[in-house]
Amino acid sequence: MITPAASPRPNGDIAIEAQEVTKVFGAVRALDRVSLSVRRGTVLALLGHNGAGKTTLVGVLTAAVPPTSGRAYVAGFDVARKPREIRRRIGLTGQFASVDGQLSGRDNLILIARLLGAGRKAAAARADDLLELFALTDVAARRARTYSGGLRRRLDLAAGLVGHPEVVFLDEPTTGLDPSSRLALWEIVENLVAEGTTVLLTTQYLDEADRLADSIAVLSSGALIAGGTAAELKARVGRRTVVVTLDGAHTAAVAAEALRRASMEPVAGPDTGVIVVPIDASKDIAAVVRALDHAGVEAEELSFREPSLDDVYLTLAGHRPHPARLVQGADA
Amino acid sequence: MTATTPTPPASPAAPASSTSPAWKGSSPLLQIRVLTARSMRSLATDPGVILFGLLQPVVILFVLTQVFSKMGPPPHFPAGVSYLDYVLPAVLVDNAIQAAVQSGVGLVDDLKNGIVARLRSLPIAPSSLLVARSMTNLARSTVQAVVIMVLAIGVLGYSPRGGPAEVAASVGLTLFMSWALGWAFIAAGAWLRRAEPMQNLALVAVLPLMFVSSAYVPVADLPAWLAAVAQVNPLTHAIDATRALALDIPGAGAVLPAMVISGVVAIVSAALAAVGFRRPM
Ligand SMILES: Nc1ncnc2c1ncn2[C@@H]1O[C@H](COP(=O)(O)OP(=O)(O)OP(=O)(O)O)[C@@H](O)[C@H]1O
Ligand SMILES: [Mg+2]
């Protein structure tokens, strides 16, 4: 769904609004006329490869990076004019840890609460609540510099929530988290949103955006190339697939025939004995299994594949942004 | 590129009541207090920092007093003053300079630590951190000065010619100059954002500057060309002022200029530091 964002000042229902935001660093156009708006109490996922401009956009919206041109409003305040009002209402967890390694986890959170105006008792209580929420109670007394990467990340996430912010910015919040911490964070985000908090998060993972976001914006080389709900985006990006591995070309042919009879559209996979079946919803996996079962075919392996960020880029931009490949390779 | 507005599915907007900040925010004074307590904590939990800062002044104090008690005082020495009396104010100034350098180094540590990135996202005055750094190092140089005094009295038998009030005034002036110079290094840290240049300066420049001043021998006893340099060395004037106070000897006229110059250095440096610190990372 594409509509021009033109209103000079967002109404009370809009928590985040960017209007034609451009940011140029020397020769790099990090953001190129980005416009988006996020309604109060919803989640926007900003999707993009390395160097797409996600962190820069978060910087602009948190009044940390002055835009070269364009305007942005957060919680009804202009980022260029009222940075302090914005900082009173936002929580930020940046891409890189911003906690004090010299202090314990608990003291980090207390420090922030005190700076936000909490009394000693209230600050300690808030710190303890957050330590528990992020499963950090056991390490609360240790200096943060002794934390593992994932622990530090969780402390950093907790630090962003100390002031009960109205708008929360999370820059790649689940990078470096183990699967259970990742799931726990997703639940925390869902609870925040249920309480009316607005969340903007950046991610490289389509499934994360799909799970959490009410709307998704895709950045590529500084420009928004698509936006909409997860469902709208996925409808455009292509479908999920089930990959069936069988014990040979002959079985594969039988299986393909059975699937076709069940009105599916199997395609021969990259290897002999592999077929790929596009499906619409995850429950259609059952239909695949039933069709195979019906034909008396036993699959050696059955796997389910979500469309990835690469699929998004291939479909929407017609190419992968070249620097991304390079940087990702270096990352791995 | 088309402007794009991702639109969320229809869902009731959050009630407006959930939108006022939880706490009212903190005054700059409270911010300074909280942040000073934060950086003081690493002093308390890490006494090595203070020990390391004491190393150079204390070694010099002990070595020079031993050497000169064997050699006897140089010809232009003030009458009736022991070498220990003479050199202690200079040792305290050396200590003050080391502490001042650490103000800047501490700020650079903060910038690297990640805490600054966090503070920038909070609704606080960024310069609170600078003031906190300055306060912390004032506290640190005070503790170190007290340790030096205790060592001098307890181990070397220091009994100042001027009374306790004079010594206190001398130490007070030394700390004031340390505080002012600390701001200069905080400004340097805010602009350079690297600790090495400051540490190198402290290592390479301070000791020679101390020797080419009235710190360890009277300027009149230095070879002519060194005496010429010592005359324009600000350390000479700083040390002459604190020494005049501590020993209750003539020369207290240098006190007022020392205070005025320190005040100007502090104000100018603090302004520069605030500007430098505001630049994005
Ligand atoms: N301070 C800066 N100076 C110069 N160029 C910058 C600066 N910050 C960002 N850039 C450039 O702007 C572009 C966007 O960077 P940004 O950090 O916003 O990307 P990102 O989407 O967050 O990437 P990643 O997934 O790697 O975090 C990149 O080409 C980057 O090199
Ligand atoms: Mg980034």
Side-chain angles (χ1 to χ4, degrees):
Chain A
M1 181 187 226
I2 299 199
T3 49
S7 69
R9 209 192 150 102
N11 61 38
D13 196 29
I14 301 296
I16 303 172
E17 167 126 28
Q19 296 174 356
E20 303 266 302
V21 169
T22 296
K23 177 70 191 181
V24 179
F25 290 111
V28 180
R29 198 166 266 269
L31 291 175
D32 189 7
R33 293 198 292 143
V34 171
S35 297
L36 54 79
S37 66
V38 186
R39 281 182 48 188
R40 212 176 272 288
T42 67
V43 181
L44 173 79
L46 205 56
L47 209 55
H49 272 309
N50 291 141
K54 303 182 295 295
T55 299
T56 307
L57 184 55
V58 168
V60 169
L61 294 174
T62 55
V65 174
T68 307
S69 68
R71 290 185 165 284
Y73 302 89
V74 172
F77 294 95
D78 187 333
V79 293
R81 298 206 185 129
K82 299 274 183 201
R84 197 168 166 127
E85 291 300 329
I86 286 173
R87 287 187 194 118
R88 290 183 65 187
R89 289 166 176 80
I90 63 166
L92 168 64
T93 298
Q95 185 169 5
F96 306 105
S98 48
V99 294
D100 188 348
Q102 300 289 336
L103 295 183
S104 72
R106 186 163 186 270
D107 286 340
N108 263 290
L109 299 179
I110 290 177
L111 176 77
I112 294 165
R114 296 281 286 145
L115 291 174
L116 289 169
R120 275 175 217 283
K121 265 202 179 140
R126 182 67 182 142
D128 290 334
D129 286 351
L130 285 167
L131 288 166
E132 193 168 335
L133 184 63
F134 285 89
L136 290 167
T137 310
D138 289 347
V139 295
R142 262 168 50 188
R143 288 197 192 201
R145 67 156 182 243
T146 69
Y147 283 16
S148 72
L151 289 176
R152 202 171 307 129
R153 191 79 194 129
R154 268 142 64 187
L155 179 62
D156 211 14
L157 289 161
L161 300 181
V162 169
H164 297 281
E166 178 183 337
V167 183
V168 172
F169 294 89
L170 306 173
D171 197 354
E172 301 197 21
T174 58
T175 302
L177 293 189
D178 59 31
S180 74
S181 305
R182 189 162 180 236
L183 222 61
L185 178 76
W186 288 357
E187 270 165 29
I188 290 167
V189 170
E190 282 163 351
N191 289 337
L192 284 175
V193 174
E195 288 162 16
T197 308
T198 310
V199 178
L200 184 150
L201 61 88
T202 76
T203 180
Q204 316 236 8
Y205 307 110
L206 196 56
D207 62 329
E208 183 161 290
D210 188 18
R211 158 84 190 253
L212 289 176
D214 299 294
S215 53
I216 296 175
V218 184
L219 268 179
S220 175
S221 309
L224 275 188
I225 56 169
T229 66
E232 284 167 348
L233 203 65
K234 276 201 295 195
R236 291 174 58 187
V237 163
R239 303 154 79 183
R240 296 185 256 192
T241 49
V242 173
V243 182
V244 187
T245 312
L246 301 131
D247 67 358
H250 176 68
T251 337
V254 177
E257 183 49 36
L259 289 166
R260 259 190 292 275
R261 270 203 306 276
S263 50
M264 279 177 266
E265 295 156 11
V267 187
D271 307 315
T272 44
V274 173
I275 47 181
V276 178
V277 195
I279 58 169
D280 290 321
S282 8
K283 66 174 163 47
D284 290 344
I285 303 174
V288 173
V289 175
R290 245 180 284 124
L292 293 176
D293 199 37
H294 205 73
V297 176
E298 200 176 327
E300 284 189 341
E301 198 186 311
L302 201 97
S303 63
F304 174 64
R305 203 176 73 86
E306 288 277 4
S308 69
L309 187 55
D310 273 344
D311 296 328
V312 173
Y313 275 111
L314 282 170
T315 317
L316 299 175
H319 63 91
R320 293 189 183 91
H322 17 264
R325 283 285 97 194
L326 201 73
V327 183
Q328 273 210 324
D331 258 2
Chain B
M1 185 81 244
T2 326
T4 309
T5 306
T7 343
S11 71
S17 65
S18 70
T19 64
S20 61
W23 295 301
K24 284 194 307 292
S26 54
S27 67
L29 218 66
L30 180 70
Q31 291 161 23
I32 291 168
R33 242 179 57 206
V34 169
L35 290 172
T36 305
R38 166 197 162 257
S39 41
M40 294 278 260
R41 187 176 301 221
S42 60
L43 282 189
T45 55
D46 196 359
V49 174
I50 284 187
L51 283 180
F52 195 73
L54 278 167
L55 210 60
Q56 184 182 316
V58 169
V59 166
I60 285 181
L61 176 66
F62 278 76
V63 168
L64 287 186
T65 48
Q66 294 311 302
V67 168
F68 279 93
S69 66
K70 292 262 154 49
M71 281 181 18
H76 292 89
F77 219 67
V81 173
S82 78
Y83 189 73
L84 178 59
D85 277 340
Y86 182 83
V87 83
L88 192 69
V91 167
L92 289 174
V93 167
D94 186 17
N95 171 57
I97 295 171
Q98 301 299 330
V101 173
Q102 288 307 316
S103 304
V105 173
L107 180 68
V108 173
D109 284 346
D110 285 345
L111 281 159
K112 296 216 169 109
N113 176 302
I115 186 69
V116 169
R118 171 62 59 195
L119 296 180
R120 281 180 201 277
S121 76
L122 297 177
I124 62 170
S127 41
S128 298
L129 181 73
L130 304 180
V131 178
R133 261 293 151 214
S134 166
M135 300 301 288
T136 305
N137 278 283
L138 186 58
R140 178 178 166 175
S141 54
T142 307
V143 170
Q144 290 182 184
V146 168
V147 173
I148 291 173
M149 293 298 283
V150 167
L151 282 176
I153 294 168
V155 180
L156 298 173
Y158 175 57
S159 62
R161 225 180 74 130
E166 282 72 12
V167 172
S170 169
V171 173
L173 176 61
T174 310
L175 293 178
F176 181 69
M177 294 190 299
S178 174
W179 170 81
L181 193 61
W183 273 111
F185 280 98
I186 288 175
W191 283 95
L192 298 175
R193 303 197 171 184
R194 285 175 50 220
E196 298 80 26
M198 290 185 276
Q199 282 162 334
N200 291 344
L201 189 74
L203 270 177
V204 176
V206 175
L207 209 53
L209 277 176
M210 289 293 288
F211 276 104
V212 189
S213 76
S214 62
Y216 306 128
V217 283
V219 172
D221 288 321
L222 291 171
W225 69 275
L226 284 183
V229 178
Q231 283 301 344
V232 295
N233 184 347
L235 285 179
T236 299
H237 302 281
I239 292 166
D240 284 352
T242 61
R243 181 178 284 146
L245 282 177
L247 302 187
D248 199 14
I249 55 173
V255 173
L256 192 65
M259 290 183 70
V260 171
I261 291 172
S262 297
V264 171
V265 167
I267 291 168
V268 172
S269 302
L272 283 174
V275 175
F277 188 62
R278 222 171 286 144
R279 292 175 315 145
M281 306 267 247

